[in-house]
Amino acid sequence: MSDELSSYFNDIVNNVNFHIKNFVKSNVRTLEEASFHLFTAGGKRLRPLILVSSSDLIGGDRQRAYKAAAAVEILHNFTLVHDDIMDRDYLRRGLPTVHVKWGEPMAILAGDYLHAKAFEALNEALKGLDGNTFYKAFSVFINSIEIISEGQAMDMSFENRVDVTEEEYMQMIKGKTAMLFSCSAALGGIINKASDDIIKNLVEYGLNLGISFQIVDDILGIIGDEKELGKPVYSDIREGKKTILVIKTLSEATDDEKKILVSTLGNREAKKDDLERASEIIRKYSLQYAYNLAKKYSDLALEHLRKIPVYNETAEKALKYLAQFTIERRK
Amino acid sequence: MSDELSSYFNDIVNNVNFHIKNFVKSNVRTLEEASFHLFTAGGKRLRPLILVSSSDLIGGDRQRAYKAAAAVEILHNFTLVHDDIMDRDYLRRGLPTVHVKWGEPMAILAGDYLHAKAFEALNEALKGLDGNTFYKAFSVFINSIEIISEGQAMDMSFENRVDVTEEEYMQMIKGKTAMLFSCSAALGGIINKASDDIIKNLVEYGLNLGISFQIVDDILGIIGDEKELGKPVYSDIREGKKTILVIKTLSEATDDEKKILVSTLGNREAKKDDLERASEIIRKYSLQYAYNLAKKYSDLALEHLRKIPVYNETAEKALKYLAQFTIERRK
């Protein structure tokens, strides 16, 4: 990353972190601690970077953008807290998950609290704007939460199936991941009253970037390093997640290989040897395919970016970099 | 109840139910079923009645009021779904709770989905209004969710304590219950751009009504009929809930009685005999006291109601009736 981009990103992250800390406060100490827990563990702040860069790209208001960026990041963290309960994950960003540390009831509550706080941040970001902009911004925000919930419901229902299609997978990750990327980019436009045409291209940039991001996430779940990822390797296999890699492999592997795979997928008692054998089969059939797919969506994101008139060139570089980073990252 | 009031309430409930059904839809069938489950079991729709009556009282817009009323009722149901998981309750309104029927992961998700849907309903209620009204309405709505979460966190932390004070109890039920009553009344004013003075009195009407309602709820938890309540009697004792009745009793009972009480409170294995003995002690020391307190807050609600200029007399009767009903109800 160039020095220019590095300091551009740092500046955004520091400002957004400041606002997140301001919003996520509570008079009930345990609730505040449980709610703030995942923020202390770092995280890439990708959604805030997308939102503020999108706002900058068209010459938008930085203060509003920071608050809206806090909104999407808080929202993202709410979904992580609840997903970790649902998926029974015990590590996230190298830390014990919220339900492991504070118990399930408090983790449910902390997620709910963050959910409300996300709306508070967005409401403050919009303060002083006209009713139409409020309506539009809240519509996009609310719609993405609904689609995220539907995506998570699909993801869970896939765990007990072995016949999930690539089309179903695409629909699921659009919900689970890509919607919030898309929402982040769109809000960068909406809070600055950008034209419908610009907003449409921001939506597509974010959506395609998010799809690419999730495919790479699924790849890293198979080839990634446990320490770098901050979560147990092979947890996707253990939970029976029907990632694009698994779907592709199930459709192309030999009967013997399929047998091994099916007996390991979703088997929470699976031994390390079994997991490694399953992972090897998956890699053989799907790795190249998945990478090509991720690249395709990253390129699509860039295509839409090019259609937006540029007010700030650093922001344009930033959004291009994010599309590149998404497919090149190792964690 | 008079025929006038009965048809006034029926009309509101039918219209609000229509909007609730419209909002709570999903492309993912299980998610929709789990989310809609508690609505099918009836419920008093008290918060919608408060909201629409408050709106009518000052001559407000019925269509907006119905949607805002759907918002508070959906929000209320989201909190019920999650509270039932946290409190490990298995019956609600005579039906198995959502997590019992669909499992915890889906119940967490359904609650989240309803949470977002509540915002969607409010956003639609406000559509076409100015930015300032959007900001105000969302602020009140978001603030009550945050205070509700804090109230629930307090309620849970009280379960392991025997030294909870009446002051702490009041703060907890303000959050857990009264805030949403208050929010409902306030929104009836805000969506019609009522004056700050009217909104202030609506807020106080709802808050005091809500406090009164929760105290009576706690009373019914001890003296209520299982069939009428639609949930297991004595579950408050079994869960160790520090209601006003328990707090009062702990401060006045003899040492022997206290011993019995402390060993039964929060003991999920407690036998029916123990529960009945504990309940008897509680009744002796606290029942009259709690009723008087509920009456006091109901009167306070009426006092604030009298300060609001009346545009619609049926609505005024309705709001008076609700304050009366709250302390006279048997379920």
Side-chain angles (χ1 to χ4, degrees):
Chain A
M1 200 189 310
S2 68
D3 283 356
E4 180 195 8
L5 272 191
S6 158
S7 76
Y8 179 78
F9 284 149
N10 273 335
D11 183 38
I12 295 174
V13 169
N14 290 336
N15 277 285
V16 174
N17 280 347
F18 168 82
H19 284 285
I20 290 173
K21 191 155 193 158
N22 254 346
F23 283 119
V24 184
K25 286 205 166 126
S26 167
N27 295 320
V28 180
R29 207 183 11 167
T30 328
L31 184 60
E32 178 173 316
E33 285 171 357
S35 302
F36 198 68
H37 177 62
L38 286 186
F39 294 109
T40 61
K44 297 181 272 289
R45 306 286 188 264
L46 267 182
R47 295 152 193 83
L49 293 179
I50 293 171
L51 196 152
V52 179
S53 304
S54 297
S55 168
D56 279 357
L57 182 73
I58 58 170
D61 178 333
R62 265 279 172 113
Q63 290 309 314
R64 285 194 196 286
Y66 288 147
K67 287 176 189 163
V72 295
E73 187 66 17
I74 295 170
L75 186 70
H76 174 53
N77 276 267
F78 132 59
T79 64
L80 296 181
V81 173
H82 280 187
D83 284 1
D84 284 340
I85 308 174
M86 297 183 226
D87 292 342
R88 292 189 272 164
D89 280 323
Y90 53 90
L91 266 184
R92 161 85 61 186
R93 297 175 183 165
L95 286 189
T97 49
V98 177
H99 65 103
V100 166
K101 204 157 170 196
W102 282 273
E104 272 192 37
M106 187 49 74
I108 294 174
L109 201 57
D112 293 343
Y113 194 66
L114 290 172
H115 194 164
K117 284 288 176 186
F119 276 98
E120 183 185 331
L122 184 59
N123 203 33
E124 294 303 328
L126 296 166
K127 191 175 181 181
L129 292 174
D130 61 295
N132 191 33
T133 304
F134 264 93
Y135 178 76
K136 252 186 170 168
F138 274 112
S139 294
V140 164
F141 199 65
I142 293 161
N143 186 244
S144 31
I145 305 174
E146 292 172 2
I147 307 269
I148 290 168
S149 305
E150 293 183 341
Q152 173 69 5
M154 290 177 77
D155 195 17
M156 292 194 303
S157 75
F158 289 174
E159 287 175 14
N160 305 312
R161 287 175 50 195
V162 288
D163 60 348
V164 177
T165 64
E166 188 170 325
E167 205 188 329
E168 289 178 301
Y169 168 83
M170 290 305 299
Q171 201 194 332
M172 183 273 285
I173 67 169
K174 262 185 204 170
K176 218 184 78 162
T177 308
M179 272 310 288
L180 196 50
F181 279 69
S182 170
C183 169
S184 301
L187 283 176
I190 293 170
I191 58 171
N192 298 299
K193 302 166 78 49
S195 71
D196 287 350
D197 195 51
I198 288 178
I199 293 171
K200 212 188 92 200
N201 281 309
L202 285 171
V203 161
E204 290 296 326
Y205 166 82
L207 194 70
N208 288 299
L209 184 68
I211 293 172
S212 168
F213 182 86
Q214 183 58 49
I215 295 171
V216 175
D217 229 44
D218 291 343
I219 294 172
L220 293 175
I222 295 292
I223 66 159
D225 179 83
E226 179 151 335
K227 226 167 143 191
E228 270 195 279
L229 289 175
K231 61 183 178 189
V233 77
Y234 302 145
S235 61
D236 281 356
I237 301 180
R238 209 179 287 112
E239 290 165 14
K241 292 287 183 202
K242 296 306 173 305
T243 66
I244 185 69
L245 293 90
V246 169
I247 293 168
K248 184 70 181 169
T249 305
L250 283 171
S251 81
E252 305 216 330
T254 66
D255 284 351
D256 281 355
E257 289 168 329
K258 251 188 258 183
K259 228 181 193 166
I260 295 171
L261 211 54
V262 170
S263 72
T264 314
L265 282 167
N267 176 0
R268 288 182 189 258
E269 316 298 309
K271 302 238 161 49
K272 211 180 162 206
D273 275 6
D274 300 330
L275 290 166
E276 269 171 10
R277 217 155 43 137
S279 152
E280 214 169 279
I281 297 169
I282 294 171
R283 272 180 269 184
K284 183 169 78 177
Y285 285 99
S286 66
L287 209 51
Q288 199 51 52
Y289 179 76
Y291 262 123
N292 291 343
L293 205 61
K295 176 78 170 60
K296 184 183 116 185
Y297 284 101
S298 165
D299 286 345
L300 263 173
L302 289 171
E303 211 172 280
H304 285 282
L305 181 61
R306 277 192 294 273
K307 293 185 188 163
I308 303 170
V310 174
Y311 177 92
N312 175 330
E313 282 179 14
T314 312
E316 187 194 20
K317 278 184 211 161
L319 292 166
K320 280 187 180 161
Y321 174 85
L322 291 172
Q324 204 56 37
F325 163 79
T326 291
I327 48 174
E328 283 171 5
R329 70 206 172 94
R330 277 284 162 270
K331 61 175 182 176
Chain B
M1 198 189 315
S2 69
D3 283 356
E4 180 196 9
L5 272 191
S6 158
S7 77
Y8 179 77
F9 284 149
N10 273 335
D11 183 39
I12 294 174
V13 169
N14 290 336
N15 276 286
V16 173
N17 281 347
F18 169 81
H19 283 286
I20 290 172
K21 192 155 191 158
N22 254 347
F23 283 120
V24 185
K25 288 208 163 124
S26 168
N27 295 320
V28 179
R29 217 206 337 189
T30 327
L31 184 59
E32 178 173 315
E33 285 171 357
S35 302
F36 198 69
H37 178 61
L38 287 185
F39 294 108
T40 61
K44 296 181 272 287
R45 305 286 188 266
L46 268 182
R47 296 153 192 82
L49 293 178
I50 293 170
L51 195 152
V52 179
S53 304
S54 298
S55 168
D56 279 357
L57 182 73
I58 57 170
D61 177 333
R62 265 279 173 114
Q63 291 308 314
R64 284 194 198 286
Y66 288 146
K67 287 178 189 162
V72 295
E73 187 66 17
I74 295 171
L75 187 70
H76 173 54
N77 276 268
F78 133 58
T79 64
L80 296 180
V81 173
H82 280 187
D83 284 2
D84 284 340
I85 309 174
M86 296 184 228
D87 292 342
R88 292 188 271 165
D89 280 324
Y90 52 89
L91 267 183
R92 160 87 61 188
R93 297 174 184 165
L95 286 190
T97 49
V98 177
H99 65 104
V100 166
K101 204 158 169 194
W102 282 274
E104 273 192 35
M106 187 49 76
I108 293 173
L109 202 57
D112 293 342
Y113 194 66
L114 290 172
H115 193 165
K117 283 289 177 188
F119 276 98
E120 184 184 330
L122 184 59
N123 203 34
E124 294 303 327
L126 296 166
K127 191 176 180 180
L129 292 174
D130 60 296
N132 191 33
T133 304
F134 264 92
Y135 178 76
K136 253 185 170 167
F138 273 113
S139 293
V140 165
F141 199 66
I142 293 162
N143 186 244
S144 30
I145 307 174
E146 292 172 1
I147 307 271
I148 290 167
S149 305
E150 292 183 342
Q152 172 69 4
M154 289 176 77
D155 196 18
M156 293 194 302
S157 75
F158 290 175
E159 288 175 15
N160 305 313
R161 286 176 49 195
V162 289
D163 60 347
V164 178
T165 65
E166 190 171 323
E167 203 188 331
E168 287 178 304
Y169 168 84
M170 290 305 299
Q171 199 193 334
M172 183 272 285
I173 68 169
K174 262 185 205 168
K176 218 184 78 164
T177 308
M179 271 312 287
L180 197 51
F181 279 69
S182 170
C183 168
S184 300
L187 283 177
I190 293 170
I191 59 171
N192 297 300
K193 300 165 80 49
S195 70
D196 286 350
D197 195 51
I198 288 179
I199 293 171
K200 212 188 93 199
N201 281 309
L202 285 171
V203 160
E204 290 297 325
Y205 166 82
L207 194 70
N208 287 299
L209 184 67
I211 293 173
S212 168
F213 182 87
Q214 183 59 49
I215 293 171
V216 174
D217 229 44
D218 291 343
I219 293 173
L220 293 174
I222 295 293
I223 65 160
D225 180 83
E226 178 150 338
K227 225 168 144 191
E228 269 195 279
L229 289 175
K231 62 182 175 187
V233 76
Y234 302 145
S235 62
D236 280 357
I237 301 180
R238 210 179 287 113
E239 290 166 14
K241 292 286 182 202
K242 297 304 173 305
T243 66
I244 185 70
L245 294 90
V246 170
I247 292 167
K248 183 72 181 167
T249 306
L250 283 173
S251 81
E252 305 216 330
T254 66
D255 284 351
D256 280 355
E257 289 168 330
K258 250 186 259 183
K259 229 180 194 167
I260 294 172
L261 210 56
V262 170
S263 73
T264 314
L265 283 167
N267 176 359
R268 288 181 189 259
E269 315 300 310
K271 302 236 161 47
K272 212 182 161 203
D273 277 4
D274 301 329
L275 290 166
E276 267 167 11
R277 215 152 46 133
S279 153
E280 215 170 278
I281 299 169
I282 294 172
R283 272 181 269 185
K284 184 167 77 175
Y285 285 100
S286 66
L287 209 51
Q288 200 50 53
Y289 179 76
Y291 262 123
N292 291 345
L293 204 62
K295 177 79 169 61
K296 184 183 117 185
Y297 283 101
S298 166
D299 287 345
L300 263 175
L302 290 170
E303 211 171 280
H304 284 282
L305 182 60
R306 277 193 293 274
K307 295 185 187 163
I308 303 170
V310 173
Y311 177 93
N312 175 329
E313 282 177 13
T314 313
E316 188 194 19
K317 279 183 211 161
L319 292 166
K320 278 184 181 161
Y321 174 85
L322 291 173
Q324 204 57 36
F325 163 79
T326 291
I327 47 175
E328 285 170 4
R329 69 205 173 94
R330 276 284 160 271
K331 63 175 180 173

